[in-house]
Amino acid sequence: MELPTELGILTCLCILAASLWMPYIIGVNTAPEDSIPPEAPDGFTRPPDPSYQRPWVHRAYRAHLNLLEQFLPFAVIVLVLDRMGGFNAVTYWSCIAFLGLRVAHAVGYITGWAKFPARPIIFTLGWICVLVLASQVFFAG
């Protein structure tokens, strides 16, 4: 049985979502000692406040949250489409576009190159991909 492209992309996004915590944790654990003010709470007993982190570390934290915001609806819709046998050219290209947009969003957010308006545009295009996929649930039914 061949794995449909949509499920392969869903698997890749699962790996991305499961791994995107790493830049944040690396950044938190490599922060210079003098970069965290003494009044900041202990980062081990309580999650560190991202505002005390270097800008790229804070952006890595937000990039992970942003991915999770779009990943859950995307995943559910892809699984519903799989169950319905609703994969088609529209779902194929929507999933490919969504993966590319999510990778570009994460890289652009963490590095800081995707500034306004690029980052919100990338996020919105990902949302549109989810809506296009959702429309296919109704067309497949």
Side-chain angles (χ1 to χ4, degrees), residues 8-22 64 67 71:
I9 287 172
L10 180 58
T11 302
C12 291
L13 283 163
C14 285
I15 294 166
L16 180 61
S19 304
L20 204 52
W21 61 271
M22 288 189 279
H64 188 221
L67 173 60
F71 173 73

mmCIF file with all atom_site columns, all heavy atoms in Angstrom, residues 8-22 64 67 71:
data_model
loop_
_atom_site.group_PDB
_atom_site.id
_atom_site.type_symbol
_atom_site.label_atom_id
_atom_site.label_alt_id
_atom_site.label_comp_id
_atom_site.label_asym_id
_atom_site.label_entity_id
_atom_site.label_seq_id
_atom_site.pdbx_PDB_ins_code
_atom_site.Cartn_x
_atom_site.Cartn_y
_atom_site.Cartn_z
_atom_site.occupancy
_atom_site.B_iso_or_equiv
_atom_site.pdbx_formal_charge
_atom_site.auth_seq_id
_atom_site.auth_comp_id
_atom_site.auth_asym_id
_atom_site.auth_atom_id
_atom_site.pdbx_PDB_model_num
ATOM 1   N N   . GLY A 1 8  ? 1.915  11.609 4.003  1.00 0.00 ? 8  GLY A N   1
ATOM 2   C CA  . GLY A 1 8  ? 3.358  11.800 4.128  1.00 0.00 ? 8  GLY A CA  1
ATOM 3   C C   . GLY A 1 8  ? 3.683  13.203 4.617  1.00 0.00 ? 8  GLY A C   1
ATOM 4   O O   . GLY A 1 8  ? 4.553  13.395 5.476  1.00 0.00 ? 8  GLY A O   1
ATOM 5   N N   . ILE A 1 9  ? 2.966  14.184 4.087  1.00 0.00 ? 9  ILE A N   1
ATOM 6   C CA  . ILE A 1 9  ? 3.166  15.569 4.523  1.00 0.00 ? 9  ILE A CA  1
ATOM 7   C C   . ILE A 1 9  ? 2.716  15.731 5.972  1.00 0.00 ? 9  ILE A C   1
ATOM 8   O O   . ILE A 1 9  ? 3.380  16.402 6.760  1.00 0.00 ? 9  ILE A O   1
ATOM 9   C CB  . ILE A 1 9  ? 2.447  16.539 3.570  1.00 0.00 ? 9  ILE A CB  1
ATOM 10  C CG1 . ILE A 1 9  ? 3.221  16.591 2.252  1.00 0.00 ? 9  ILE A CG1 1
ATOM 11  C CG2 . ILE A 1 9  ? 2.300  17.928 4.189  1.00 0.00 ? 9  ILE A CG2 1
ATOM 12  C CD1 . ILE A 1 9  ? 2.554  17.347 1.155  1.00 0.00 ? 9  ILE A CD1 1
ATOM 13  N N   . LEU A 1 10 ? 1.614  15.109 6.324  1.00 0.00 ? 10 LEU A N   1
ATOM 14  C CA  . LEU A 1 10 ? 1.162  15.149 7.716  1.00 0.00 ? 10 LEU A CA  1
ATOM 15  C C   . LEU A 1 10 ? 2.228  14.571 8.638  1.00 0.00 ? 10 LEU A C   1
ATOM 16  O O   . LEU A 1 10 ? 2.512  15.134 9.701  1.00 0.00 ? 10 LEU A O   1
ATOM 17  C CB  . LEU A 1 10 ? -0.156 14.385 7.869  1.00 0.00 ? 10 LEU A CB  1
ATOM 18  C CG  . LEU A 1 10 ? -0.754 14.342 9.269  1.00 0.00 ? 10 LEU A CG  1
ATOM 19  C CD1 . LEU A 1 10 ? -1.018 15.740 9.809  1.00 0.00 ? 10 LEU A CD1 1
ATOM 20  C CD2 . LEU A 1 10 ? -2.025 13.514 9.259  1.00 0.00 ? 10 LEU A CD2 1
ATOM 21  N N   . THR A 1 11 ? 2.860  13.490 8.220  1.00 0.00 ? 11 THR A N   1
ATOM 22  C CA  . THR A 1 11 ? 3.938  12.888 9.008  1.00 0.00 ? 11 THR A CA  1
ATOM 23  C C   . THR A 1 11 ? 5.121  13.850 9.139  1.00 0.00 ? 11 THR A C   1
ATOM 24  O O   . THR A 1 11 ? 5.677  14.018 10.231 1.00 0.00 ? 11 THR A O   1
ATOM 25  C CB  . THR A 1 11 ? 4.388  11.559 8.367  1.00 0.00 ? 11 THR A CB  1
ATOM 26  O OG1 . THR A 1 11 ? 3.254  10.694 8.281  1.00 0.00 ? 11 THR A OG1 1
ATOM 27  C CG2 . THR A 1 11 ? 5.483  10.898 9.179  1.00 0.00 ? 11 THR A CG2 1
ATOM 28  N N   . CYS A 1 12 ? 5.492  14.506 8.046  1.00 0.00 ? 12 CYS A N   1
ATOM 29  C CA  . CYS A 1 12 ? 6.590  15.488 8.095  1.00 0.00 ? 12 CYS A CA  1
ATOM 30  C C   . CYS A 1 12 ? 6.251  16.641 9.038  1.00 0.00 ? 12 CYS A C   1
ATOM 31  O O   . CYS A 1 12 ? 7.110  17.104 9.804  1.00 0.00 ? 12 CYS A O   1
ATOM 32  C CB  . CYS A 1 12 ? 6.893  16.022 6.698  1.00 0.00 ? 12 CYS A CB  1
ATOM 33  S SG  . CYS A 1 12 ? 7.630  14.816 5.590  1.00 0.00 ? 12 CYS A SG  1
ATOM 34  N N   . LEU A 1 13 ? 5.002  17.091 9.003  1.00 0.00 ? 13 LEU A N   1
ATOM 35  C CA  . LEU A 1 13 ? 4.587  18.169 9.905  1.00 0.00 ? 13 LEU A CA  1
ATOM 36  C C   . LEU A 1 13 ? 4.579  17.710 11.357 1.00 0.00 ? 13 LEU A C   1
ATOM 37  O O   . LEU A 1 13 ? 4.880  18.502 12.260 1.00 0.00 ? 13 LEU A O   1
ATOM 38  C CB  . LEU A 1 13 ? 3.219  18.708 9.500  1.00 0.00 ? 13 LEU A CB  1
ATOM 39  C CG  . LEU A 1 13 ? 3.245  19.626 8.290  1.00 0.00 ? 13 LEU A CG  1
ATOM 40  C CD1 . LEU A 1 13 ? 1.852  19.781 7.708  1.00 0.00 ? 13 LEU A CD1 1
ATOM 41  C CD2 . LEU A 1 13 ? 3.837  20.971 8.651  1.00 0.00 ? 13 LEU A CD2 1
ATOM 42  N N   . CYS A 1 14 ? 4.247  16.439 11.587 1.00 0.00 ? 14 CYS A N   1
ATOM 43  C CA  . CYS A 1 14 ? 4.334  15.892 12.948 1.00 0.00 ? 14 CYS A CA  1
ATOM 44  C C   . CYS A 1 14 ? 5.779  15.955 13.449 1.00 0.00 ? 14 CYS A C   1
ATOM 45  O O   . CYS A 1 14 ? 6.024  16.336 14.602 1.00 0.00 ? 14 CYS A O   1
ATOM 46  C CB  . CYS A 1 14 ? 3.852  14.444 12.983 1.00 0.00 ? 14 CYS A CB  1
ATOM 47  S SG  . CYS A 1 14 ? 2.083  14.231 12.878 1.00 0.00 ? 14 CYS A SG  1
ATOM 48  N N   . ILE A 1 15 ? 6.693  15.586 12.587 1.00 0.00 ? 15 ILE A N   1
ATOM 49  C CA  . ILE A 1 15 ? 8.113  15.633 12.957 1.00 0.00 ? 15 ILE A CA  1
ATOM 50  C C   . ILE A 1 15 ? 8.543  17.070 13.224 1.00 0.00 ? 15 ILE A C   1
ATOM 51  O O   . ILE A 1 15 ? 9.254  17.347 14.205 1.00 0.00 ? 15 ILE A O   1
ATOM 52  C CB  . ILE A 1 15 ? 8.981  14.971 11.868 1.00 0.00 ? 15 ILE A CB  1
ATOM 53  C CG1 . ILE A 1 15 ? 8.675  13.473 11.792 1.00 0.00 ? 15 ILE A CG1 1
ATOM 54  C CG2 . ILE A 1 15 ? 10.467 15.210 12.123 1.00 0.00 ? 15 ILE A CG2 1
ATOM 55  C CD1 . ILE A 1 15 ? 9.208  12.786 10.546 1.00 0.00 ? 15 ILE A CD1 1
ATOM 56  N N   . LEU A 1 16 ? 8.117  18.007 12.374 1.00 0.00 ? 16 LEU A N   1
ATOM 57  C CA  . LEU A 1 16 ? 8.449  19.421 12.576 1.00 0.00 ? 16 LEU A CA  1
ATOM 58  C C   . LEU A 1 16 ? 7.871  19.919 13.902 1.00 0.00 ? 16 LEU A C   1
ATOM 59  O O   . LEU A 1 16 ? 8.568  20.555 14.696 1.00 0.00 ? 16 LEU A O   1
ATOM 60  C CB  . LEU A 1 16 ? 7.943  20.269 11.413 1.00 0.00 ? 16 LEU A CB  1
ATOM 61  C CG  . LEU A 1 16 ? 8.229  21.768 11.488 1.00 0.00 ? 16 LEU A CG  1
ATOM 62  C CD1 . LEU A 1 16 ? 9.735  22.047 11.520 1.00 0.00 ? 16 LEU A CD1 1
ATOM 63  C CD2 . LEU A 1 16 ? 7.572  22.496 10.318 1.00 0.00 ? 16 LEU A CD2 1
ATOM 64  N N   . ALA A 1 17 ? 6.603  19.609 14.156 1.00 0.00 ? 17 ALA A N   1
ATOM 65  C CA  . ALA A 1 17 ? 5.964  20.053 15.402 1.00 0.00 ? 17 ALA A CA  1
ATOM 66  C C   . ALA A 1 17 ? 6.630  19.429 16.620 1.00 0.00 ? 17 ALA A C   1
ATOM 67  O O   . ALA A 1 17 ? 6.782  20.081 17.658 1.00 0.00 ? 17 ALA A O   1
ATOM 68  C CB  . ALA A 1 17 ? 4.473  19.718 15.376 1.00 0.00 ? 17 ALA A CB  1
ATOM 69  N N   . ALA A 1 18 ? 7.033  18.170 16.492 1.00 0.00 ? 18 ALA A N   1
ATOM 70  C CA  . ALA A 1 18 ? 7.683  17.485 17.608 1.00 0.00 ? 18 ALA A CA  1
ATOM 71  C C   . ALA A 1 18 ? 9.114  17.953 17.824 1.00 0.00 ? 18 ALA A C   1
ATOM 72  O O   . ALA A 1 18 ? 9.684  17.731 18.899 1.00 0.00 ? 18 ALA A O   1
ATOM 73  C CB  . ALA A 1 18 ? 7.662  15.975 17.370 1.00 0.00 ? 18 ALA A CB  1
ATOM 74  N N   . SER A 1 19 ? 9.703  18.610 16.838 1.00 0.00 ? 19 SER A N   1
ATOM 75  C CA  . SER A 1 19 ? 11.109 19.015 16.913 1.00 0.00 ? 19 SER A CA  1
ATOM 76  C C   . SER A 1 19 ? 11.327 20.507 17.094 1.00 0.00 ? 19 SER A C   1
ATOM 77  O O   . SER A 1 19 ? 12.434 20.924 17.433 1.00 0.00 ? 19 SER A O   1
ATOM 78  C CB  . SER A 1 19 ? 11.839 18.571 15.639 1.00 0.00 ? 19 SER A CB  1
ATOM 79  O OG  . SER A 1 19 ? 11.708 17.193 15.445 1.00 0.00 ? 19 SER A OG  1
ATOM 80  N N   . LEU A 1 20 ? 10.322 21.300 16.873 1.00 0.00 ? 20 LEU A N   1
ATOM 81  C CA  . LEU A 1 20 ? 10.514 22.752 16.866 1.00 0.00 ? 20 LEU A CA  1
ATOM 82  C C   . LEU A 1 20 ? 10.758 23.328 18.257 1.00 0.00 ? 20 LEU A C   1
ATOM 83  O O   . LEU A 1 20 ? 11.105 24.496 18.390 1.00 0.00 ? 20 LEU A O   1
ATOM 84  C CB  . LEU A 1 20 ? 9.324  23.442 16.192 1.00 0.00 ? 20 LEU A CB  1
ATOM 85  C CG  . LEU A 1 20 ? 9.600  24.823 15.590 1.00 0.00 ? 20 LEU A CG  1
ATOM 86  C CD1 . LEU A 1 20 ? 10.800 24.822 14.665 1.00 0.00 ? 20 LEU A CD1 1
ATOM 87  C CD2 . LEU A 1 20 ? 8.381  25.343 14.874 1.00 0.00 ? 20 LEU A CD2 1
ATOM 88  N N   . TRP A 1 21 ? 10.647 22.516 19.286 1.00 0.00 ? 21 TRP A N   1
ATOM 89  C CA  . TRP A 1 21 ? 10.993 22.974 20.624 1.00 0.00 ? 21 TRP A CA  1
ATOM 90  C C   . TRP A 1 21 ? 12.518 23.110 20.775 1.00 0.00 ? 21 TRP A C   1
ATOM 91  O O   . TRP A 1 21 ? 12.995 23.856 21.624 1.00 0.00 ? 21 TRP A O   1
ATOM 92  C CB  . TRP A 1 21 ? 10.459 21.998 21.691 1.00 0.00 ? 21 TRP A CB  1
ATOM 93  C CG  . TRP A 1 21 ? 11.025 20.612 21.549 1.00 0.00 ? 21 TRP A CG  1
ATOM 94  C CD1 . TRP A 1 21 ? 10.508 19.613 20.786 1.00 0.00 ? 21 TRP A CD1 1
ATOM 95  C CD2 . TRP A 1 21 ? 12.222 20.105 22.133 1.00 0.00 ? 21 TRP A CD2 1
ATOM 96  N NE1 . TRP A 1 21 ? 11.303 18.495 20.869 1.00 0.00 ? 21 TRP A NE1 1
ATOM 97  C CE2 . TRP A 1 21 ? 12.371 18.767 21.691 1.00 0.00 ? 21 TRP A CE2 1
ATOM 98  C CE3 . TRP A 1 21 ? 13.183 20.629 22.984 1.00 0.00 ? 21 TRP A CE3 1
ATOM 99  C CZ2 . TRP A 1 21 ? 13.427 17.968 22.077 1.00 0.00 ? 21 TRP A CZ2 1
ATOM 100 C CZ3 . TRP A 1 21 ? 14.243 19.824 23.369 1.00 0.00 ? 21 TRP A CZ3 1
ATOM 101 C CH2 . TRP A 1 21 ? 14.358 18.510 22.915 1.00 0.00 ? 21 TRP A CH2 1
ATOM 102 N N   . MET A 1 22 ? 13.273 22.410 19.942 1.00 0.00 ? 22 MET A N   1
ATOM 103 C CA  . MET A 1 22 ? 14.721 22.361 20.118 1.00 0.00 ? 22 MET A CA  1
ATOM 104 C C   . MET A 1 22 ? 15.425 23.711 19.990 1.00 0.00 ? 22 MET A C   1
ATOM 105 O O   . MET A 1 22 ? 16.268 24.028 20.825 1.00 0.00 ? 22 MET A O   1
ATOM 106 C CB  . MET A 1 22 ? 15.335 21.327 19.188 1.00 0.00 ? 22 MET A CB  1
ATOM 107 C CG  . MET A 1 22 ? 15.026 19.910 19.637 1.00 0.00 ? 22 MET A CG  1
ATOM 108 S SD  . MET A 1 22 ? 15.923 18.643 18.749 1.00 0.00 ? 22 MET A SD  1
ATOM 109 C CE  . MET A 1 22 ? 14.948 18.520 17.271 1.00 0.00 ? 22 MET A CE  1
ATOM 110 N N   . HIS A 1 64 ? 7.053  27.873 17.426 1.00 0.00 ? 64 HIS A N   1
ATOM 111 C CA  . HIS A 1 64 ? 6.523  26.566 17.809 1.00 0.00 ? 64 HIS A CA  1
ATOM 112 C C   . HIS A 1 64 ? 5.034  26.666 18.130 1.00 0.00 ? 64 HIS A C   1
ATOM 113 O O   . HIS A 1 64 ? 4.229  25.843 17.657 1.00 0.00 ? 64 HIS A O   1
ATOM 114 C CB  . HIS A 1 64 ? 7.301  26.025 19.003 1.00 0.00 ? 64 HIS A CB  1
ATOM 115 C CG  . HIS A 1 64 ? 6.958  24.612 19.348 1.00 0.00 ? 64 HIS A CG  1
ATOM 116 N ND1 . HIS A 1 64 ? 6.814  24.195 20.642 1.00 0.00 ? 64 HIS A ND1 1
ATOM 117 C CD2 . HIS A 1 64 ? 6.723  23.526 18.573 1.00 0.00 ? 64 HIS A CD2 1
ATOM 118 C CE1 . HIS A 1 64 ? 6.502  22.905 20.650 1.00 0.00 ? 64 HIS A CE1 1
ATOM 119 N NE2 . HIS A 1 64 ? 6.440  22.476 19.408 1.00 0.00 ? 64 HIS A NE2 1
ATOM 120 N N   . LEU A 1 67 ? 3.008  27.094 14.910 1.00 0.00 ? 67 LEU A N   1
ATOM 121 C CA  . LEU A 1 67 ? 2.863  25.845 14.162 1.00 0.00 ? 67 LEU A CA  1
ATOM 122 C C   . LEU A 1 67 ? 1.765  24.988 14.791 1.00 0.00 ? 67 LEU A C   1
ATOM 123 O O   . LEU A 1 67 ? 0.905  24.447 14.085 1.00 0.00 ? 67 LEU A O   1
ATOM 124 C CB  . LEU A 1 67 ? 4.170  25.067 14.112 1.00 0.00 ? 67 LEU A CB  1
ATOM 125 C CG  . LEU A 1 67 ? 4.070  23.664 13.493 1.00 0.00 ? 67 LEU A CG  1
ATOM 126 C CD1 . LEU A 1 67 ? 3.582  23.718 12.056 1.00 0.00 ? 67 LEU A CD1 1
ATOM 127 C CD2 . LEU A 1 67 ? 5.391  22.950 13.583 1.00 0.00 ? 67 LEU A CD2 1
ATOM 128 N N   . PHE A 1 71 ? -1.391 23.355 13.022 1.00 0.00 ? 71 PHE A N   1
ATOM 129 C CA  . PHE A 1 71 ? -1.176 21.929 12.794 1.00 0.00 ? 71 PHE A CA  1
ATOM 130 C C   . PHE A 1 71 ? -2.395 21.096 13.180 1.00 0.00 ? 71 PHE A C   1
ATOM 131 O O   . PHE A 1 71 ? -2.791 20.190 12.438 1.00 0.00 ? 71 PHE A O   1
ATOM 132 C CB  . PHE A 1 71 ? 0.054  21.440 13.569 1.00 0.00 ? 71 PHE A CB  1
ATOM 133 C CG  . PHE A 1 71 ? 0.221  19.961 13.498 1.00 0.00 ? 71 PHE A CG  1
ATOM 134 C CD1 . PHE A 1 71 ? 0.646  19.352 12.333 1.00 0.00 ? 71 PHE A CD1 1
ATOM 135 C CD2 . PHE A 1 71 ? -0.069 19.156 14.594 1.00 0.00 ? 71 PHE A CD2 1
ATOM 136 C CE1 . PHE A 1 71 ? 0.785  17.974 12.249 1.00 0.00 ? 71 PHE A CE1 1
ATOM 137 C CE2 . PHE A 1 71 ? 0.072  17.782 14.520 1.00 0.00 ? 71 PHE A CE2 1
ATOM 138 C CZ  . PHE A 1 71 ? 0.497  17.193 13.351 1.00 0.00 ? 71 PHE A CZ  1
#
